[in-house]
Amino acid sequence: MVTYRGLPAPHICDFWDRESSAANYDDGSTFQIGRIDMVANTGTYLDTPFHRYFEGDDLAAVALERLAGLDGLCVRAAGVEVGAELFEGLDVAGKAVLVHTGWDRHWRTDAYHSDHPFLAEAAARLLAERGAALVGIDSYNIDDTRTRRRPVHTVLLGAGTLICEHMTGLGELPPSGFRFTAAPPKVAGMGTVPVRAFAQLG
């Protein structure tokens, strides 16, 4: 699938298929070794500071405690621009703050790419200043892609706050009382990669 317009879809294939691997073994064993050629911004992915800043932490530098088993908050948002007032009164320090807009209803359709919900710059500043560990959204981009500015990425990643985009299923989460994980492989020199993002309830 194409996640972000202008970027290619991944190519997934066999590097070693089962039939050809059989010749390497005498006991009937066969193995498959897969190969993936893709850009990092594919599917549900995590942005680390290196995505925006050369001197920022990359995927290998971000410690597990910054993205695994985080106390989570799920905030319901209506409308296109998600303002700072939605987060007033919330204790976001050290937490994963997931913004449920419902835009994932357009996942894998043409409608998903246009006029999508996004965070206001003031909301990003509030979350960064109050120490949110991670901010996620079930939308095409956490910034407004109708402009050539990316203030939300700039503010959050500049503060060391991680970003998880293209999320789905946030409507199944309670407002709080869950732990959130979006753990990537440790890859030096990369700032973004697909993740298996999940919540544990209770």
Side-chain angles (χ1 to χ4, degrees), residues 113-196:
H113 303 95
S114 304
D115 301 318
H116 60 86
F118 59 90
L119 252 62
E121 182 175 353
R125 292 195 181 281
L126 182 150
L127 291 166
E129 290 168 2
R130 297 188 181 181
L134 179 150
V135 180
I137 192 168
D138 56 351
S139 186
Y140 180 65
N141 199 299
I142 203 166
D143 265 301
D144 183 0
T145 57
R146 297 172 298 182
T147 76
R148 291 170 58 87
R149 299 176 64 248
R150 296 295 182 266
V152 177
H153 279 84
T154 297
V155 169
L156 293 178
L157 296 178
T161 302
L162 306 175
I163 297 172
C164 191
E165 293 172 302
H166 304 281
M167 303 186 74
T168 63
L170 296 185
E172 300 176 32
L173 292 179
S176 61
F178 62 91
R179 290 189 174 273
F180 178 73
T181 295
K186 294 179 69 174
V187 185
M190 285 183 64
T192 300
V193 77
V195 292
R196 186 70 178 266

Side-chain angles (χ1 to χ4, degrees), residues 76-107:
R76 314 295 175 197
V80 175
E81 185 175 49
V82 181
E85 66 279 359
L86 206 62
F87 308 99
E88 288 287 358
L90 295 179
D91 176 13
V92 302
K95 293 184 173 66
V97 182
L98 309 182
V99 183
H100 173 224
T101 70
W103 198 248
D104 60 336
R105 66 186 180 275
H106 299 301
W107 181 246

Side-chain angles (χ1 to χ4, degrees), residues 29-48:
S29 296
T30 62
F31 297 92
Q32 186 268 355
I33 296 178
R35 179 172 182 165
I36 302 175
D37 178 14
M38 69 176 184
V39 295
N41 295 55
T42 297
T44 300
Y45 53 76
L46 181 82
D47 289 342
T48 66

